[in-house]
Amino acid sequence: MSEEADICFVQASSTDDAIQPLYEKYLQDPDTSKETYSKLFDDSQFEPDYLLFNLNFFMKDPQDQPDKETFNSIIETVEANNDLPKGRYLIDLNDNYVLIRNSESYKQNTLGQDPTKGIIKE
């Protein structure tokens, strides 16, 4: 990972049929065991493209603006990490300004991947 940026916010969303029973079970009983979730999950129905992880990074130094070198370094690190769960990862690199109420910071200087592409981990 780049030493110029910190990860601050990760958001996951899913429209995948294999995830839906787990989500419903969680809403019914948040203390459900890992074993129960494992039994509910049907890996044959899972489509990694439908599980989206938005990774929002922020520059460490309040004076620094997002730059391509740092952005590309983050992308390369995520691409090379084979320990990440299956899914589609979208990377954004923001300056140091963070909106306290929602942990976001989308300004004109934000660098981000095309939301229709991203990095697919299978």
Side-chain angles (χ1 to χ4, degrees):
M1 197 71 59
S2 171
E3 292 185 20
E4 301 297 319
D6 282 330
I7 191 165
C8 181
F9 182 69
V10 178
Q11 176 184 13
S13 63
S14 177
T15 57
D16 188 82
D17 290 338
I19 300 292
Q20 193 60 34
L22 283 73
Y23 177 70
E24 290 172 7
K25 183 65 176 171
Y26 174 79
L27 291 177
Q28 291 173 355
D29 180 11
D31 295 323
T32 300
S33 70
K34 181 178 177 180
E35 292 78 23
T36 300
Y37 287 126
S38 293
K39 290 176 187 174
L40 285 173
F41 183 69
D42 182 359
D43 192 28
S44 68
Q45 290 187 7
F46 181 70
E47 291 290 333
D49 194 42
Y50 293 132
L51 180 59
L52 175 63
F53 294 94
N54 289 321
L55 306 178
N56 289 287
F57 291 82
F58 297 86
M59 299 301 290
K60 282 184 181 179
D61 188 327
Q63 306 306 315
D64 287 347
Q65 298 297 309
D67 62 82
K68 276 289 203 189
E69 182 179 341
T70 303
F71 182 65
N72 290 335
S73 173
I74 294 168
I75 290 173
E76 289 170 7
T77 300
V78 172
E79 288 175 338
N81 187 332
N82 294 322
D83 294 327
L84 293 172
K86 294 178 184 179
R88 183 163 47 111
Y89 292 79
L90 292 176
I91 313 286
D92 287 318
L93 178 60
N94 303 280
D95 60 18
N96 189 261
Y97 179 75
V98 180
L99 294 170
I100 302 291
R101 66 179 179 269
N102 64 4
S103 301
E104 294 180 359
S105 175
Y106 295 107
K107 293 170 45 179
Q108 288 184 344
N109 64 354
T110 296
L111 299 176
Q113 290 180 296
D114 179 343
T116 63
K117 296 182 180 155
I119 301 165
I120 305 287
K121 293 290 187 176
E122 298 193 48

